[in-house]
């Protein structure tokens, strides 16, 4: 009665999901893995999935009769192909961000899932499973009145040289793009990007910080600060201003100390520590739904909308200060 | 050795300043008052300034040899005339906001003071004297590195029907316009206004809330939320993001309670309670400087810049979403 | 490779542990249950353990060759018998509080486990698994210097009429007795109880609140407020004062709101919500150790010490204001 | 119409009060000073009271017809004599702590004031004027129900070698002794002192920290931690637990920063910064009442009760762990 899972891509996140499924969560087992680098796959099996089969061909893994559901954790460029194949096989599929590297690719997945006639895809937008965001959503839905504004920030202490300006959208803002839509139950209609004076800690090819202003169909104005060389910490802030009051995302749990003339509380430095519980909860949700032959949580449509919105935000970066419209086609009924 | 002060305008703020000078602070006395409504002046004398002379003509008060310094607390339309007269008399003058109702009027005061060759005017921007803002300025100057962004909010629980859209600039944002310039030691170069969906609590002639985006000469991007029907409280927020970290304006002192399933702290409902100490401190500064024949604190130039910036913000309201440039003439050397 | 668990006692906590093992955690399954009330056992099987065997005789369950490990969740009076039987069967045993209803009973379990030559018993002191207490312990061990004082509080909103004065020790303080020993790595040497004026909300047979003062072998002075009619919430506080500074247990995560003139955060009302994660973590630890044929976490010795200390605290209640010595025999080497 | 004040003792606090009266507050002037060291008096006059008369004989100052009221800021041993002389002269007197160095001495002042038939003495217990304590008192009186317990702490970063164990009562706890009586509107009936293991930072002749347990006539149990080598800061904590909820003294205002992986707020290191506003408010109250020929605020009776309570606490230090009764005579009607 346990769900048999195949994992494609056994890099950091693929290994971690394998460990999670086999050692932490009830209801499923990773029984097969694939990686472009076979040594990676072997290590993953040795460490976290003793007895699992190693497939050299990911499509063979997807097609294998012993596999009930697939996790796509490979390089982003390959997501579209493997997700489409998993849908074609009629199996539930959990796909890490991004669903596809282009909006058109994400749209093809949406179309395939709609053609399949039922939900099979969950996208790894884990913030929707964070207990803080979930509590915030409850407060927004029940206490503070209809939302009017959101003030948010996404700060990292530093980034490497490979991180260039558009990545602030594709790799960083992507999380706010998805979670704020979900939080507000709304869609974006425009994006604008402003660039403050650049931090001296940002390297040559990166404009940092940035302020992104999103407006929604319901008229909410959202400002998101992106600052990936903040030095002081990895810090996610979100404040929703409603008609009757305000609700704020909690700080991560930390010990308050009185030491050296300071009343202090630690701020995380590593993003991996911030939403660590959420990975457990998103996979629990996937296992539950996949065991019933379907998928839950963030949809392929959510992945498509994130891709369209990201493209608009990058266009807004390039046209600094200009408001770029975001046009979405009609939402298929399946994603009601 | 006590400074003899004449007060023009004995409405709420004029009376309160009179009480402050005569009953709270050292070093000065209100010895003369004027009001367009003589009964007001009589009441102020009876309540707070026994023995003070009532002048029917404000210009006579300004000119009187027994008066060392003047407080202009009358209706805004009259400020320019009385401040110019006090400068002409060579006496220090404390003028409540606005310094003048037009940028041109404020400029005439600047020119008169420059011609007089020394500072004689202090504008009543009391936030610069708030202990919270002063501590914030110290932190910004010494701890958090050069400022890159400011996130601010100015919220009132509600406003009357007389409060229309441009008043969100002239009566509300005016405080942020001045205090953020001082906090950042910077000048504005552009303004943009965005209107979220209107709160159902805002009356017909008022678009509320608003988001004002100001950019500065040094490249700081500032977002200020103005929300004067926030319902929940009078709440002033200010967070400065610098190159090395962030500093935030403190919440007003309040008792933390554990009651009825809530860990709570009171939020003020009345703006008059928020900066109450600052009035003492600004007048103490005025008395100190005026006793030496000059003025300190916010200058006529600050009043002029606030007027120019306000005009740009109102233009930005009218051209919703458009960025309006703010051009300032060269700053006279006296205000270096 | 999965651990087969038998559960004795399928009341609230027994059912909840069964659900947790079968639906949430990896590595084990509840395959057998027993309850004095067979209908309870049947309901538990139907709800959370389809296919599990119902034993009418708990000793038969313990002895059954298909059972690898036992959870004792039955009525406190029966704990000693079932734990001794499980030790006799050489199987790992998780026992809910109390380990036994008398210190002598707990001692017999310690002696049996020592005779068995290896750890087989884990006592259900779940607070040691709370992420807040664990972070507090790290701060106490690494940041604040050697502990000198602890200020703690254990507050419930209200209790029923069955809750009488000694239960403030046996049912309430018991958690602080265990977790503070663990936090400080220390043992108690004396107890004193002071009774403030009684709350009007406390019923006839209950003196409430109480202040318990514990002193430790290392010289730490601990004050614990017990207040089970606090009305406002279920609230656990713990502050450790060390040679270099202070560390404090975090508040439970909650959304900060600005509503109705209050900056507020919810306080829990139900104790069941406070340490909900800890149950997952303690059972994960049990499953891990029991899969290797042994036990981890809180020991039978910890259960015995808690019983001895509780007895001293009840004596201190009866001798209000008097300091009662706490004498412990030497700790067996196994519990080093 | 200004009150003419004579200051006896122009050490640190005497000078500071002189500055405050002459440069900050309305309604009074220091016109005469005395100090055992004439050079001190001269410096005070030069710095803060130009034109004031220097008296070599404090009794002559008290008696002088030009003096309306007296501030006693001299060495503690002399307080009783000068306060009695000021009462004898029928003039209002502000006396710094302690009112007298013995309970008997304080009692003689009470008797003299009662004989004089009206209040003439204010004792310098400035904490009653602290805005935080005043707000706390309002919350305790109106929100949290009748008090049952108080948890308090008085921490200094370090003390010099002259500070020996009983000074923890006479110089440190004395503030809590007075302010908690006022806060609770109650009197003490017993004291007990417990000594945790001594901090390695405490010198030879000082037991530090200490825990003082006070019980009141209304049945409130108070624990006060005294820790004068806390290293981390000067920190005053006070939490009142009432029948319906809890109220807590606010932290001093400070800027919250996000810097170096820490969400921090400064803790004061110097006690002089903590209650700095309170000195202004207590003297404002004195000037107001003395201008009407009487005294307000903390009474001679309060000074006497503080002396009696301090003596009991020192006895409780010497009889470590033992509860010492505190017996007060009937309160004279004047102090109702």
């Amino acid at each position: 009665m346990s769900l048999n899972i195949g994992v494609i891509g056994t890099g950091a996140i693929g290994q971690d999901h394998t460990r999670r499924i086999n050692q932490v969560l009830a209801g499923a087992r990773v029984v097969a893995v694939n990686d472009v680098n076979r040594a990676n796959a072997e290590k993953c099996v040795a460490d976290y999935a003793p007895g699992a089969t190693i497939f050299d061909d990911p499509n063979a893994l997807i097609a294998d009769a012993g596999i009930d559901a697939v996790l796509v954790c490979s390089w982003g460029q390959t997501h579209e192909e493997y997700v489409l194949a998993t849908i074609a096989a009629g199996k539930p599929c959990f796909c890490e961000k991004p669903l596809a590297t282009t909006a058109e690719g994400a749209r093809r997945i949406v179309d395939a899932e709609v053609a399949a006639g039922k939900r099979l895809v969950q996208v790894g937008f884990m913030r929707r499973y964070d207990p803080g965001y979930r509590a915030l959503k409850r407060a927004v839905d029940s206490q503070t009145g209809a939302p009017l504004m959101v003030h948010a920030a996404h700060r990292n202490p530093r980034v490497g040289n490979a991180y260039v300006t558009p990545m602030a959208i594709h790799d960083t803002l992507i999380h706010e793009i998805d979670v704020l839509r979900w939080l507000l139950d709304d869609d974006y209609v425009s994006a604008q990007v402003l660039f403050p004076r650049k931090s001296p800690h940002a390297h040559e090819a990166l404009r940092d910080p940035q302020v992104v202003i999103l407006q929604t169909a319901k008229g909410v104005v959202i400002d998101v600060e992106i600052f990936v060389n903040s030095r002081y910490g990895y810090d996610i802030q979100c404040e929703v201003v409603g008609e009757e009051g305000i609700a704020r995302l909690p700080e991560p749990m930390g010990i308050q100390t009185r030491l050296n003339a300071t009343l202090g509380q630690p701020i995380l430095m590593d993003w991996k520590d911030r939403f660590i519980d959420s990975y457990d909860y998103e996979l629990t949700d996937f296992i539950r739904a996949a065991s019933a032959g379907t998928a839950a949580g963030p949809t392929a449509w959510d992945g498509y909308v994130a891709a369209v919105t990201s493209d608009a935000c990058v266009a807004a970066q390039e046209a600094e200060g200009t408001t770029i419209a975001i046009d979405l086609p009609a939402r298929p009924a399946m994603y009601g």
Side-chain angles (χ1 to χ4, degrees), chain A:
Chain A
M1 60 184 289
S2 181
L3 186 77
N4 291 322
I5 291 182
V7 174
I8 298 176
T10 54
I13 185 73
Q15 283 184 47
D16 203 42
H17 282 331
T18 300
R19 177 194 59 75
R20 191 166 278 121
I21 290 166
N22 282 2
Q23 300 185 357
V24 180
L25 305 176
R29 286 202 63 74
V30 172
V31 298
V33 302
N34 158 268
D35 197 88
V36 284
N37 180 340
R38 190 179 167 96
N40 273 357
E42 286 168 357
K43 178 160 175 33
C44 180
V45 167
D47 289 350
Y48 305 117
T53 307
I54 298 177
F55 281 80
D56 287 322
D57 175 3
N59 289 300
L61 180 151
I62 292 167
D64 191 276
I67 304 295
D68 300 323
V70 175
L71 259 62
V72 177
C73 305
S74 49
W75 186 42
Q77 300 283 4
T78 66
H79 287 189
E80 181 185 348
E81 175 188 351
Y82 301 148
V83 173
L84 287 173
T86 310
I87 293 171
K91 298 180 182 178
C93 177
F94 176 93
C95 180
E96 275 300 330
K97 294 165 307 296
L99 178 59
T101 52
T102 62
E104 294 70 27
R107 180 74 220 204
R108 283 187 286 268
I109 292 171
V110 165
D111 291 343
E113 194 181 36
V114 168
K118 68 169 175 176
R119 280 204 54 195
L120 289 170
V121 178
Q122 175 178 346
V123 182
F125 287 128
M126 78 290 181
R127 279 203 200 170
R128 296 189 185 199
Y129 292 93
D130 172 60
Y133 273 110
R134 293 182 91 90
L136 179 60
K137 185 161 175 57
R138 283 192 297 276
V140 166
D141 287 349
S142 65
Q143 293 188 271
T144 49
L148 299 170
M149 292 167 283
V150 175
H151 308 300
H154 188 141
R155 301 181 190 123
N156 290 58
R158 53 183 48 78
V159 292
N161 282 337
Y163 187 108
V164 291
T165 302
M167 292 177 68
I169 305 302
H170 288 306
D171 283 25
T172 300
L173 188 72
I174 187 80
H175 291 283
E176 272 75 19
I177 287 174
D178 181 68
V179 83
L180 296 180
R181 266 184 78 236
W182 166 82
L183 184 68
L184 300 173
D185 190 19
D186 204 344
D187 269 311
Y188 305 113
V189 296
S190 73
Q192 181 188 10
V193 177
L194 301 173
F195 292 103
R197 187 169 58 77
K198 186 171 152 173
S199 165
H201 303 302
H203 62 74
E204 192 71 23
L206 174 62
R207 298 188 72 171
D208 182 52
Q210 310 181 21
V211 176
V212 180
I213 297 165
L214 294 163
Q215 303 203 45
T216 77
K218 292 180 183 169
V220 179
V221 173
I222 300 167
D223 52 85
V224 186
E225 173 197 324
I226 307 172
F227 189 11
V228 297
N229 287 286
S230 77
R231 318 313 271 182
Y232 76 85
Y234 182 74
D235 194 5
I236 303 300
Q237 297 290 327
C238 184
E239 186 182 56
V240 180
V241 183
E243 293 176 356
E244 309 301 330
I246 297 181
R248 190 181 190 91
L249 190 69
E251 301 289 330
M253 186 270 281
I255 296 296
Q256 192 190 62
T257 55
R258 293 171 189 265
L259 280 168
N260 301 322
T262 302
L263 179 58
Q265 191 172 323
I267 293 177
L268 298 175
M269 290 300 283
D270 189 339
W271 64 268
K272 288 193 291 288
D273 298 331
R274 177 63 179 85
F275 294 105
I276 200 159
D277 293 347
S278 310
Y279 296 105
D280 286 2
Y281 301 138
E282 70 172 1
L283 284 188
T284 297
D285 208 24
F286 178 70
I287 291 168
R288 187 189 53 72
S291 296
T294 184
T299 67
W301 178 256
D302 295 324
Y304 167 69
V305 172
V308 170
T309 306
S310 294
D311 288 350
C313 289
V314 171
Q317 286 181 325
E318 290 163 0
E320 177 180 352
T322 308
T323 300
I324 304 292
I326 299 175
D327 289 310
L328 288 171
R331 183 193 302 229
M334 177 189 290
Y335 306 106

